[in-house]
Amino acid sequence: MLARSTSRCCTKLRAPPSRVSLRVARPQCRHFSMPSSGASHSSGPNSSSAGLLAPFTSELDKIAPSFRINGSQVRVLQTPTEFYETLKDKIRKAEKRIFLSTLYIGKSEKELIATLQEALRTKPHLKLSILTDALRGTREAPNPSCASLLAPLISEFGSDRVEIRMFHTPNLTGLRKKHIPKRINEGWGLQHMKLYGIDDEIILSGANLSSDYFSDRQDRYHVYSSRDITEYFSNLQTAVSSLSFLVKPSPEPAGFELVWPEDNSAISPLDNPKKFIAESTALLSGLISPKTAPRTALDNTPAEKRDTSVYMLAQFSQLLSPDTSTELPTVSHVLRTLAAPEYANSSWTFTAGYFNPAPSLTKLLLGTASTNNVVITASPFANGFYKSPGVSGLLPDAYTLLARRFVRAVHESKHRGTTVLKEWRKGTVGEPGGWTYHAKGLWVTMPKSENPSISLIGSSNYTKRSYSLDLEANALIVTENEDLKKRLGEEQRWLQDNATVVTREDFAKTERRVGLKVRIAMMIVQLVGGAL
């Protein structure tokens, strides 16, 4: 199934016509210069709001590339069903391209595949590009898997119209790859981006493409109707795809093989991880820097109506040496800015389905001057690993332990009484009507405002592994658009409809205590190099 060193000598693949050159991310290749922060971020009807946002944007402009759009170009979806129906509708209407980045596509997602087939059959010039993770995408092979589900698309429509790529982490090679069980080897790094682009629109989310994410697994979903933002993330996916294995149909029982094309942008990570990282750095660093990122000027929104900045963030730590990723610096800057006295009456809401924020973020959250803050996380009964077989079944209790530690830290900090932790629960996983919770993000509301001006959405879980092992893509909204702020506020509130405050007293109850085996499991995972 996996062709390694010899695959580098395979026949050179003809790149799809829509693919752009990715080795041109140099300063001279910028299509235009964005307006300076002093001019663009201070305009708008609410000068007081603009003044409070300026300390954020002045530094963010130095961290990550951004585009200015109108707030009406962002649509906030609410439910898994709405996400799925929107995705299918846009696929059916696609004219030029569909590009999808996800951890995996569920091996039984025949309806989604049929929707893609319908679009490709109807539109002969339509092209499809899919990027998933190699470990997750082939885990069940030679039994049915994500890879075997997708390979027939290539057989039917040809490699000039359909490209399926699977990224393999450089952190799992040699003896480690050979001996670590498939069920837990994902702890060493994944392709975790969630980018769902169709023509000139893109859906950013934390949701993967499988039945639970389409029905009863709550996440977040933003639709960006911006040619510039869509093109940027398309270029990002194309770059990572050129650092990934190519899926090819095969008569073997698995139904596919993974090969490393000779025109990839780096050597295979399985052959020479160190060289792979060096070559990946040369390709990616320019794409994510605000100084060198290629930017288009495709949107036709009048300049005076551009009241919202969208910062494109990438966390590619496993591929960059030195690490110039932009997500962690961006989140850190936002939280650090909130520590200033003028933000004493601001507030924030932070959510992560798997509550294990990086220690630096916990410190920054508790160091803000904000009040009326909320953390939302999954109840053990809404955790995707609830009653899962093997070591992963211990994870809900492990996250309970981490949440309890956070509540204790809040109690011991200046945020005692101003910050609460809520657990989200809608029924019980595995029982009729039971949902899981997978949403992640940050909302920041300025002093004297009712709704957030800042919101972060994307694939990141904001954990240690997000900032060291996984590939993440996110967008940070900074807006003065009152209607968009209202919609972000509604999103922030409806996610709390099924959430309940959990206190130190609740965690002290017998049924919430965590056993020794959970603590040992956490130690083992960290010892051998993985992370929750």
Side-chain angles (χ1 to χ4, degrees):
M1 289 180 295
L2 184 62
R4 293 181 59 181
S5 58
T6 57
S7 65
R8 195 159 170 82
C9 298
C10 71
T11 303
K12 188 171 184 179
L13 298 176
R14 181 162 58 90
S18 61
R19 172 168 286 192
V20 299
S21 172
L22 291 168
R23 293 193 181 278
V24 297
R26 303 287 190 270
Q28 63 268 28
C29 294
R30 288 177 65 178
H31 294 85
F32 73 99
S33 299
M34 295 294 289
S36 65
S37 60
S40 63
H41 295 295
S42 61
S43 61
N46 190 336
S47 58
S48 175
S49 173
L52 287 169
L53 293 176
F56 295 95
T57 57
S58 60
E59 184 64 25
L60 291 174
D61 288 340
K62 303 173 186 177
I63 297 175
S66 66
F67 290 102
R68 292 285 285 176
I69 64 173
N70 183 268
S72 63
Q73 292 175 256
V74 183
R75 178 184 169 197
V76 181
L77 307 182
Q78 182 171 353
T79 67
T81 301
E82 186 180 12
F83 162 59
Y84 187 37
E85 293 303 320
T86 299
L87 178 64
K88 289 190 297 179
D89 179 65
K90 293 189 180 299
I91 289 173
R92 292 188 186 103
K93 296 177 180 178
E95 295 290 341
K96 300 176 297 182
R97 64 177 177 182
I98 300 170
F99 64 94
L100 309 172
S101 289
T102 187
L103 174 59
Y104 66 99
I105 296 178
K107 59 185 178 182
S108 60
E109 292 310 311
K110 295 181 180 180
E111 182 183 40
L112 178 60
I113 298 302
T115 304
L116 291 168
Q117 289 172 321
E118 175 189 346
L120 288 165
R121 289 167 184 162
T122 304
K123 312 287 178 54
H125 299 292
L126 181 64
K127 298 183 184 297
L128 171 66
S129 174
I130 297 177
L131 172 67
T132 75
D133 182 72
L135 297 177
R136 176 65 68 89
T138 62
R139 186 168 67 184
E140 300 90 346
N143 295 320
S145 65
C146 171
S148 65
L149 177 76
L150 297 174
L153 290 172
I154 306 167
S155 300
E156 179 176 355
F157 300 104
S159 59
D160 59 333
R161 294 186 64 198
V162 176
E163 181 183 73
I164 311 298
R165 294 281 186 154
M166 291 194 167
F167 174 84
H168 192 293
T169 175
N171 296 327
L172 188 71
T173 60
L175 292 176
R176 181 184 284 176
K177 179 176 176 64
K178 181 179 179 180
H179 294 293
I180 293 175
K182 288 184 177 181
R183 184 67 184 175
I184 64 172
N185 64 7
E186 298 168 16
W188 279 261
L190 295 169
Q191 190 308 105
H192 200 246
M193 299 187 294
K194 318 294 167 64
L195 306 171
Y196 306 127
I198 298 93
D199 289 339
D200 297 325
E201 293 184 303
I202 187 169
I203 303 174
L204 296 184
S205 178
N208 293 302
L209 300 180
S210 64
S211 58
D212 51 346
Y213 289 96
F214 301 152
S215 57
D216 53 17
R217 189 160 173 77
Q218 183 65 57
D219 215 298
R220 296 177 64 211
Y221 332 89
H222 286 185
V223 183
Y224 292 82
S225 299
S226 165
R227 296 177 66 188
D228 293 316
I229 292 174
T230 304
E231 188 66 20
Y232 179 86
F233 283 117
S234 174
N235 288 341
L236 205 63
Q237 174 173 318
T238 301
V240 176
S241 292
S242 75
L243 302 170
S244 303
F245 283 92
L246 182 72
V247 176
K248 299 183 70 174
S250 169
E252 296 299 319
F256 70 92
E257 63 175 334
L258 300 182
V259 300
W260 193 263
E262 64 176 5
D263 61 351
N264 267 9
S265 297
I267 192 172
S268 167
L270 302 183
D271 291 339
N272 191 329
K274 187 174 181 179
K275 185 177 181 181
F276 171 78
I277 292 172
E279 293 177 339
S280 298
T281 300
L283 174 67
L284 296 173
S285 59
L287 283 173
I288 66 175
S289 167
K291 296 180 179 180
T292 56
R295 303 183 193 177
T296 54
L298 303 174
D299 284 354
N300 56 12
T301 305
E304 66 272 13
K305 293 186 178 297
R306 300 192 181 206
D307 51 20
T308 301
S309 291
V310 180
Y311 293 88
M312 278 71 67
L313 310 179
Q315 194 68 36
F316 290 164
S317 298
Q318 62 168 297
L319 296 180
L320 297 173
S321 181
D323 186 2
T324 55
S325 297
T326 56
E327 182 203 322
L328 181 57
T330 293
V331 180
S332 298
H333 168 66
V334 169
L335 296 177
R336 196 175 293 116
T337 303
L338 289 174
E342 56 264 38
Y343 299 100
N345 292 316
S346 66
S347 64
W348 52 257
T349 297
F350 174 84
T351 188
Y354 303 131
F355 188 72
N356 183 19
S360 63
L361 291 191
T362 298
K363 183 178 180 180
L364 289 171
L365 284 167
L366 297 182
T368 64
S370 309
T371 56
N372 298 317
N373 308 311
V374 178
V375 170
I376 313 168
T377 190
S379 157
F381 301 100
N383 189 296
F385 294 104
Y386 181 70
K387 291 190 175 180
S388 178
V391 176
S392 58
L394 301 175
L395 291 179
D397 284 342
Y399 290 119
T400 293
L401 176 61
L402 294 167
R404 187 177 74 183
R405 290 175 178 173
F406 179 81
V407 170
R408 183 178 63 194
V410 170
H411 179 77
E412 295 172 352
S413 74
K414 66 180 181 180
H415 278 279
R416 179 179 180 179
T418 68
T419 300
V420 299
L421 183 141
K422 294 184 178 182
E423 285 187 342
W424 190 98
R425 181 180 181 182
K426 189 174 182 179
T428 299
V429 179
E431 297 181 3
W435 285 45
T436 54
Y437 185 77
H438 195 250
K440 61 267 286 185
L442 175 70
W443 300 258
V444 177
T445 301
M446 295 293 104
K448 299 181 181 180
S449 296
E450 295 182 5
N451 294 303
S453 298
I454 298 175
S455 185
L456 176 66
I457 187 171
S459 62
S460 180
N461 286 308
Y462 316 114
T463 62
K464 178 182 177 182
R465 68 168 292 164
S466 296
Y467 297 135
S468 58
L469 299 172
D470 293 343
L471 303 187
E472 310 283 9
N474 305 268
L476 181 79
I477 293 172
V478 181
T479 186
E480 298 170 49
N481 184 289
E482 292 299 326
D483 186 62
L484 177 55
K485 289 164 65 175
K486 180 180 178 181
R487 284 180 277 125
L488 292 172
E490 291 170 347
E491 178 190 41
Q492 173 187 263
R493 288 185 286 273
W494 79 52
L495 283 174
Q496 298 181 54
D497 285 347
N498 295 292
T500 304
V501 174
V502 183
T503 66
R504 292 170 66 236
E505 290 72 23
D506 293 320
F507 282 120
K509 294 177 180 177
T510 302
E511 63 269 21
R512 300 303 301 270
R513 292 178 181 174
V514 174
L516 179 61
K517 63 181 181 180
V518 173
R519 299 173 187 266
I520 294 175
M522 290 176 64
M523 292 173 59
I524 292 174
V525 170
Q526 294 172 350
L527 180 65
V528 296
L532 289 176

PDB file of all heavy atoms in Angstrom, residues 168-194:
ATOM      1  N   HIS A 168       1.656  12.547   5.831  1.00  0.00           N
ATOM      2  CA  HIS A 168       2.232  11.678   6.863  1.00  0.00           C
ATOM      3  C   HIS A 168       3.223  12.478   7.698  1.00  0.00           C
ATOM      4  O   HIS A 168       4.153  13.094   7.180  1.00  0.00           O
ATOM      5  CB  HIS A 168       2.940  10.480   6.222  1.00  0.00           C
ATOM      6  CG  HIS A 168       3.305   9.396   7.202  1.00  0.00           C
ATOM      7  ND1 HIS A 168       4.252   9.562   8.191  1.00  0.00           N
ATOM      8  CD2 HIS A 168       2.826   8.135   7.354  1.00  0.00           C
ATOM      9  CE1 HIS A 168       4.352   8.453   8.898  1.00  0.00           C
ATOM     10  NE2 HIS A 168       3.498   7.561   8.410  1.00  0.00           N
ATOM     11  N   THR A 169       3.036  12.472   8.998  1.00  0.00           N
ATOM     12  CA  THR A 169       3.922  13.211   9.888  1.00  0.00           C
ATOM     13  C   THR A 169       5.362  12.709   9.814  1.00  0.00           C
ATOM     14  O   THR A 169       5.601  11.497   9.699  1.00  0.00           O
ATOM     15  CB  THR A 169       3.435  13.112  11.340  1.00  0.00           C
ATOM     16  OG1 THR A 169       4.379  13.752  12.208  1.00  0.00           O
ATOM     17  CG2 THR A 169       3.278  11.666  11.778  1.00  0.00           C
ATOM     18  N   PRO A 170       6.346  13.597   9.897  1.00  0.00           N
ATOM     19  CA  PRO A 170       7.743  13.175   9.963  1.00  0.00           C
ATOM     20  C   PRO A 170       8.143  12.692  11.356  1.00  0.00           C
ATOM     21  O   PRO A 170       9.274  12.244  11.549  1.00  0.00           O
ATOM     22  CB  PRO A 170       8.510  14.450   9.589  1.00  0.00           C
ATOM     23  CG  PRO A 170       7.622  15.559  10.045  1.00  0.00           C
ATOM     24  CD  PRO A 170       6.216  15.069   9.795  1.00  0.00           C
ATOM     25  N   ASN A 171       7.209  12.802  12.309  1.00  0.00           N
ATOM     26  CA  ASN A 171       7.525  12.413  13.688  1.00  0.00           C
ATOM     27  C   ASN A 171       7.358  10.924  13.953  1.00  0.00           C
ATOM     28  O   ASN A 171       7.744  10.432  15.013  1.00  0.00           O
ATOM     29  CB  ASN A 171       6.621  13.180  14.665  1.00  0.00           C
ATOM     30  CG  ASN A 171       6.870  14.667  14.627  1.00  0.00           C
ATOM     31  OD1 ASN A 171       7.992  15.111  14.407  1.00  0.00           O
ATOM     32  ND2 ASN A 171       5.825  15.447  14.841  1.00  0.00           N
ATOM     33  N   LEU A 172       6.758  10.190  13.015  1.00  0.00           N
ATOM     34  CA  LEU A 172       6.488   8.770  13.230  1.00  0.00           C
ATOM     35  C   LEU A 172       7.161   7.974  12.123  1.00  0.00           C
ATOM     36  O   LEU A 172       6.579   7.738  11.063  1.00  0.00           O
ATOM     37  CB  LEU A 172       4.979   8.514  13.251  1.00  0.00           C
ATOM     38  CG  LEU A 172       4.554   7.100  13.664  1.00  0.00           C
ATOM     39  CD1 LEU A 172       4.798   6.886  15.152  1.00  0.00           C
ATOM     40  CD2 LEU A 172       3.084   6.860  13.338  1.00  0.00           C
ATOM     41  N   THR A 173       8.382   7.557  12.381  1.00  0.00           N
ATOM     42  CA  THR A 173       9.151   6.811  11.387  1.00  0.00           C
ATOM     43  C   THR A 173       9.907   5.689  12.084  1.00  0.00           C
ATOM     44  O   THR A 173       9.927   5.588  13.312  1.00  0.00           O
ATOM     45  CB  THR A 173      10.160   7.730  10.665  1.00  0.00           C
ATOM     46  OG1 THR A 173      11.077   8.280  11.639  1.00  0.00           O
ATOM     47  CG2 THR A 173       9.460   8.875   9.951  1.00  0.00           C
ATOM     48  N   GLY A 174      10.527   4.842  11.312  1.00  0.00           N
ATOM     49  CA  GLY A 174      11.406   3.807  11.850  1.00  0.00           C
ATOM     50  C   GLY A 174      10.735   2.871  12.833  1.00  0.00           C
ATOM     51  O   GLY A 174       9.604   2.419  12.644  1.00  0.00           O
ATOM     52  N   LEU A 175      11.438   2.581  13.924  1.00  0.00           N
ATOM     53  CA  LEU A 175      10.940   1.634  14.922  1.00  0.00           C
ATOM     54  C   LEU A 175       9.671   2.144  15.600  1.00  0.00           C
ATOM     55  O   LEU A 175       8.782   1.363  15.954  1.00  0.00           O
ATOM     56  CB  LEU A 175      12.026   1.364  15.971  1.00  0.00           C
ATOM     57  CG  LEU A 175      13.261   0.605  15.475  1.00  0.00           C
ATOM     58  CD1 LEU A 175      14.299   0.489  16.589  1.00  0.00           C
ATOM     59  CD2 LEU A 175      12.870  -0.776  14.964  1.00  0.00           C
ATOM     60  N   ARG A 176       9.584   3.455  15.782  1.00  0.00           N
ATOM     61  CA  ARG A 176       8.391   4.022  16.407  1.00  0.00           C
ATOM     62  C   ARG A 176       7.160   3.723  15.562  1.00  0.00           C
ATOM     63  O   ARG A 176       6.128   3.302  16.070  1.00  0.00           O
ATOM     64  CB  ARG A 176       8.574   5.535  16.596  1.00  0.00           C
ATOM     65  CG  ARG A 176       7.401   6.216  17.259  1.00  0.00           C
ATOM     66  CD  ARG A 176       7.645   7.715  17.319  1.00  0.00           C
ATOM     67  NE  ARG A 176       8.602   8.086  18.344  1.00  0.00           N
ATOM     68  CZ  ARG A 176       9.038   9.321  18.549  1.00  0.00           C
ATOM     69  NH1 ARG A 176       8.621  10.304  17.752  1.00  0.00           N
ATOM     70  NH2 ARG A 176       9.900   9.586  19.500  1.00  0.00           N
ATOM     71  N   LYS A 177       7.269   3.916  14.258  1.00  0.00           N
ATOM     72  CA  LYS A 177       6.149   3.642  13.359  1.00  0.00           C
ATOM     73  C   LYS A 177       5.823   2.151  13.338  1.00  0.00           C
ATOM     74  O   LYS A 177       4.658   1.743  13.266  1.00  0.00           O
ATOM     75  CB  LYS A 177       6.465   4.127  11.945  1.00  0.00           C
ATOM     76  CG  LYS A 177       5.351   3.862  10.935  1.00  0.00           C
ATOM     77  CD  LYS A 177       5.680   4.459   9.582  1.00  0.00           C
ATOM     78  CE  LYS A 177       4.608   4.114   8.553  1.00  0.00           C
ATOM     79  NZ  LYS A 177       3.302   4.695   8.904  1.00  0.00           N
ATOM     80  N   LYS A 178       6.853   1.333  13.409  1.00  0.00           N
ATOM     81  CA  LYS A 178       6.668  -0.112  13.309  1.00  0.00           C
ATOM     82  C   LYS A 178       5.952  -0.693  14.512  1.00  0.00           C
ATOM     83  O   LYS A 178       5.114  -1.599  14.380  1.00  0.00           O
ATOM     84  CB  LYS A 178       8.032  -0.787  13.136  1.00  0.00           C
ATOM     85  CG  LYS A 178       7.955  -2.300  12.996  1.00  0.00           C
ATOM     86  CD  LYS A 178       9.344  -2.892  12.791  1.00  0.00           C
ATOM     87  CE  LYS A 178       9.270  -4.412  12.664  1.00  0.00           C
ATOM     88  NZ  LYS A 178      10.617  -5.007  12.454  1.00  0.00           N
ATOM     89  N   HIS A 179       6.228  -0.171  15.704  1.00  0.00           N
ATOM     90  CA  HIS A 179       5.766  -0.837  16.924  1.00  0.00           C
ATOM     91  C   HIS A 179       4.599  -0.151  17.631  1.00  0.00           C
ATOM     92  O   HIS A 179       3.921  -0.787  18.444  1.00  0.00           O
ATOM     93  CB  HIS A 179       6.931  -0.989  17.900  1.00  0.00           C
ATOM     94  CG  HIS A 179       8.012  -1.914  17.408  1.00  0.00           C
ATOM     95  ND1 HIS A 179       7.805  -3.268  17.246  1.00  0.00           N
ATOM     96  CD2 HIS A 179       9.298  -1.668  17.017  1.00  0.00           C
ATOM     97  CE1 HIS A 179       8.915  -3.834  16.799  1.00  0.00           C
ATOM     98  NE2 HIS A 179       9.836  -2.876  16.651  1.00  0.00           N
ATOM     99  N   ILE A 180       4.350   1.112  17.359  1.00  0.00           N
ATOM    100  CA  ILE A 180       3.242   1.792  18.045  1.00  0.00           C
ATOM    101  C   ILE A 180       1.924   1.390  17.396  1.00  0.00           C
ATOM    102  O   ILE A 180       1.782   1.475  16.172  1.00  0.00           O
ATOM    103  CB  ILE A 180       3.429   3.314  18.010  1.00  0.00           C
ATOM    104  CG1 ILE A 180       4.650   3.698  18.848  1.00  0.00           C
ATOM    105  CG2 ILE A 180       2.190   4.029  18.539  1.00  0.00           C
ATOM    106  CD1 ILE A 180       4.992   5.170  18.794  1.00  0.00           C
ATOM    107  N   PRO A 181       0.945   0.941  18.172  1.00  0.00           N
ATOM    108  CA  PRO A 181      -0.334   0.490  17.618  1.00  0.00           C
ATOM    109  C   PRO A 181      -1.033   1.595  16.832  1.00  0.00           C
ATOM    110  O   PRO A 181      -0.926   2.778  17.153  1.00  0.00           O
ATOM    111  CB  PRO A 181      -1.146   0.106  18.866  1.00  0.00           C
ATOM    112  CG  PRO A 181      -0.135  -0.154  19.923  1.00  0.00           C
ATOM    113  CD  PRO A 181       0.996   0.779  19.637  1.00  0.00           C
ATOM    114  N   LYS A 182      -1.766   1.186  15.789  1.00  0.00           N
ATOM    115  CA  LYS A 182      -2.455   2.152  14.939  1.00  0.00           C
ATOM    116  C   LYS A 182      -3.445   2.999  15.722  1.00  0.00           C
ATOM    117  O   LYS A 182      -3.681   4.157  15.394  1.00  0.00           O
ATOM    118  CB  LYS A 182      -3.179   1.429  13.803  1.00  0.00           C
ATOM    119  CG  LYS A 182      -2.267   0.861  12.739  1.00  0.00           C
ATOM    120  CD  LYS A 182      -3.079   0.258  11.602  1.00  0.00           C
ATOM    121  CE  LYS A 182      -2.182  -0.240  10.497  1.00  0.00           C
ATOM    122  NZ  LYS A 182      -2.962  -0.814   9.361  1.00  0.00           N
ATOM    123  N   ARG A 183      -4.042   2.418  16.735  1.00  0.00           N
ATOM    124  CA  ARG A 183      -5.087   3.143  17.472  1.00  0.00           C
ATOM    125  C   ARG A 183      -4.546   4.380  18.165  1.00  0.00           C
ATOM    126  O   ARG A 183      -5.284   5.354  18.383  1.00  0.00           O
ATOM    127  CB  ARG A 183      -5.729   2.201  18.501  1.00  0.00           C
ATOM    128  CG  ARG A 183      -6.891   2.782  19.272  1.00  0.00           C
ATOM    129  CD  ARG A 183      -8.077   3.041  18.374  1.00  0.00           C
ATOM    130  NE  ARG A 183      -9.180   3.683  19.100  1.00  0.00           N
ATOM    131  CZ  ARG A 183     -10.291   4.107  18.538  1.00  0.00           C
ATOM    132  NH1 ARG A 183     -10.476   3.942  17.250  1.00  0.00           N
ATOM    133  NH2 ARG A 183     -11.233   4.681  19.260  1.00  0.00           N
ATOM    134  N   ILE A 184      -3.251   4.381  18.520  1.00  0.00           N
ATOM    135  CA  ILE A 184      -2.712   5.525  19.256  1.00  0.00           C
ATOM    136  C   ILE A 184      -1.589   6.241  18.525  1.00  0.00           C
ATOM    137  O   ILE A 184      -1.070   7.240  19.022  1.00  0.00           O
ATOM    138  CB  ILE A 184      -2.224   5.106  20.665  1.00  0.00           C
ATOM    139  CG1 ILE A 184      -1.055   4.121  20.567  1.00  0.00           C
ATOM    140  CG2 ILE A 184      -3.356   4.534  21.480  1.00  0.00           C
ATOM    141  CD1 ILE A 184      -0.416   3.813  21.908  1.00  0.00           C
ATOM    142  N   ASN A 185      -1.187   5.746  17.317  1.00  0.00           N
ATOM    143  CA  ASN A 185      -0.042   6.380  16.649  1.00  0.00           C
ATOM    144  C   ASN A 185      -0.340   7.793  16.168  1.00  0.00           C
ATOM    145  O   ASN A 185       0.574   8.545  15.843  1.00  0.00           O
ATOM    146  CB  ASN A 185       0.479   5.513  15.501  1.00  0.00           C
ATOM    147  CG  ASN A 185      -0.522   5.329  14.366  1.00  0.00           C
ATOM    148  OD1 ASN A 185      -1.583   5.946  14.343  1.00  0.00           O
ATOM    149  ND2 ASN A 185      -0.175   4.448  13.431  1.00  0.00           N
ATOM    150  N   GLU A 186      -1.626   8.169  16.168  1.00  0.00           N
ATOM    151  CA  GLU A 186      -1.977   9.525  15.767  1.00  0.00           C
ATOM    152  C   GLU A 186      -1.480  10.567  16.769  1.00  0.00           C
ATOM    153  O   GLU A 186      -1.486  11.760  16.479  1.00  0.00           O
ATOM    154  CB  GLU A 186      -3.493   9.637  15.606  1.00  0.00           C
ATOM    155  CG  GLU A 186      -4.049   8.735  14.517  1.00  0.00           C
ATOM    156  CD  GLU A 186      -5.563   8.640  14.553  1.00  0.00           C
ATOM    157  OE1 GLU A 186      -6.186   9.486  15.217  1.00  0.00           O
ATOM    158  OE2 GLU A 186      -6.116   7.729  13.919  1.00  0.00           O
ATOM    159  N   GLY A 187      -1.086  10.113  17.949  1.00  0.00           N
ATOM    160  CA  GLY A 187      -0.575  11.029  18.959  1.00  0.00           C
ATOM    161  C   GLY A 187       0.749  11.673  18.593  1.00  0.00           C
ATOM    162  O   GLY A 187       1.225  12.555  19.302  1.00  0.00           O
ATOM    163  N   TRP A 188       1.328  11.267  17.465  1.00  0.00           N
ATOM    164  CA  TRP A 188       2.618  11.832  17.051  1.00  0.00           C
ATOM    165  C   TRP A 188       2.486  12.833  15.905  1.00  0.00           C
ATOM    166  O   TRP A 188       3.481  13.277  15.365  1.00  0.00           O
ATOM    167  CB  TRP A 188       3.581  10.696  16.705  1.00  0.00           C
ATOM    168  CG  TRP A 188       4.179  10.127  17.946  1.00  0.00           C
ATOM    169  CD1 TRP A 188       5.408  10.405  18.468  1.00  0.00           C
ATOM    170  CD2 TRP A 188       3.547   9.226  18.849  1.00  0.00           C
ATOM    171  NE1 TRP A 188       5.582   9.727  19.647  1.00  0.00           N
ATOM    172  CE2 TRP A 188       4.458   8.986  19.913  1.00  0.00           C
ATOM    173  CE3 TRP A 188       2.304   8.597  18.899  1.00  0.00           C
ATOM    174  CZ2 TRP A 188       4.164   8.145  20.977  1.00  0.00           C
ATOM    175  CZ3 TRP A 188       2.007   7.758  19.964  1.00  0.00           C
ATOM    176  CH2 TRP A 188       2.933   7.542  20.979  1.00  0.00           C
ATOM    177  N   GLY A 189       1.272  13.190  15.575  1.00  0.00           N
ATOM    178  CA  GLY A 189       1.098  14.243  14.586  1.00  0.00           C
ATOM    179  C   GLY A 189       0.139  13.878  13.473  1.00  0.00           C
ATOM    180  O   GLY A 189       0.160  12.749  12.970  1.00  0.00           O
ATOM    181  N   LEU A 190      -0.694  14.848  13.086  1.00  0.00           N
ATOM    182  CA  LEU A 190      -1.731  14.618  12.086  1.00  0.00           C
ATOM    183  C   LEU A 190      -1.878  15.823  11.157  1.00  0.00           C
ATOM    184  O   LEU A 190      -1.523  16.941  11.517  1.00  0.00           O
ATOM    185  CB  LEU A 190      -3.093  14.391  12.766  1.00  0.00           C
ATOM    186  CG  LEU A 190      -3.284  13.164  13.634  1.00  0.00           C
ATOM    187  CD1 LEU A 190      -4.581  13.288  14.416  1.00  0.00           C
ATOM    188  CD2 LEU A 190      -3.290  11.903  12.797  1.00  0.00           C
ATOM    189  N   GLN A 191      -2.480  15.571   9.997  1.00  0.00           N
ATOM    190  CA  GLN A 191      -3.024  16.644   9.151  1.00  0.00           C
ATOM    191  C   GLN A 191      -4.400  16.919   9.728  1.00  0.00           C
ATOM    192  O   GLN A 191      -5.316  16.117   9.599  1.00  0.00           O
ATOM    193  CB  GLN A 191      -3.125  16.173   7.706  1.00  0.00           C
ATOM    194  CG  GLN A 191      -3.455  17.248   6.694  1.00  0.00           C
ATOM    195  CD  GLN A 191      -4.668  18.108   6.961  1.00  0.00           C
ATOM    196  OE1 GLN A 191      -4.524  19.260   7.360  1.00  0.00           O
ATOM    197  NE2 GLN A 191      -5.875  17.588   6.778  1.00  0.00           N
ATOM    198  N   HIS A 192      -4.564  18.060  10.366  1.00  0.00           N
ATOM    199  CA  HIS A 192      -5.787  18.334  11.144  1.00  0.00           C
ATOM    200  C   HIS A 192      -6.571  19.518  10.592  1.00  0.00           C
ATOM    201  O   HIS A 192      -7.596  19.900  11.160  1.00  0.00           O
ATOM    202  CB  HIS A 192      -5.390  18.595  12.609  1.00  0.00           C
ATOM    203  CG  HIS A 192      -6.495  18.423  13.588  1.00  0.00           C
ATOM    204  ND1 HIS A 192      -7.019  19.473  14.323  1.00  0.00           N
ATOM    205  CD2 HIS A 192      -7.188  17.317  13.967  1.00  0.00           C
ATOM    206  CE1 HIS A 192      -7.970  19.024  15.119  1.00  0.00           C
ATOM    207  NE2 HIS A 192      -8.101  17.729  14.922  1.00  0.00           N
ATOM    208  N   MET A 193      -6.132  20.134   9.476  1.00  0.00           N
ATOM    209  CA  MET A 193      -6.834  21.287   8.928  1.00  0.00           C
ATOM    210  C   MET A 193      -8.230  20.889   8.444  1.00  0.00           C
ATOM    211  O   MET A 193      -8.430  19.772   7.960  1.00  0.00           O
ATOM    212  CB  MET A 193      -6.051  21.896   7.762  1.00  0.00           C
ATOM    213  CG  MET A 193      -4.675  22.392   8.117  1.00  0.00           C
ATOM    214  SD  MET A 193      -3.890  23.287   6.733  1.00  0.00           S
ATOM    215  CE  MET A 193      -3.700  21.967   5.527  1.00  0.00           C
ATOM    216  N   LYS A 194      -9.181  21.808   8.564  1.00  0.00           N
ATOM    217  CA  LYS A 194     -10.548  21.596   8.076  1.00  0.00           C
ATOM    218  C   LYS A 194     -10.887  22.767   7.142  1.00  0.00           C
ATOM    219  O   LYS A 194     -11.332  23.834   7.588  1.00  0.00           O
ATOM    220  CB  LYS A 194     -11.543  21.536   9.234  1.00  0.00           C
ATOM    221  CG  LYS A 194     -11.064  20.732  10.454  1.00  0.00           C
ATOM    222  CD  LYS A 194     -10.898  19.264  10.160  1.00  0.00           C
ATOM    223  CE  LYS A 194     -10.133  18.570  11.276  1.00  0.00           C
ATOM    224  NZ  LYS A 194     -10.782  18.567  12.575  1.00  0.00           N
TER     225      LYS A 194
END
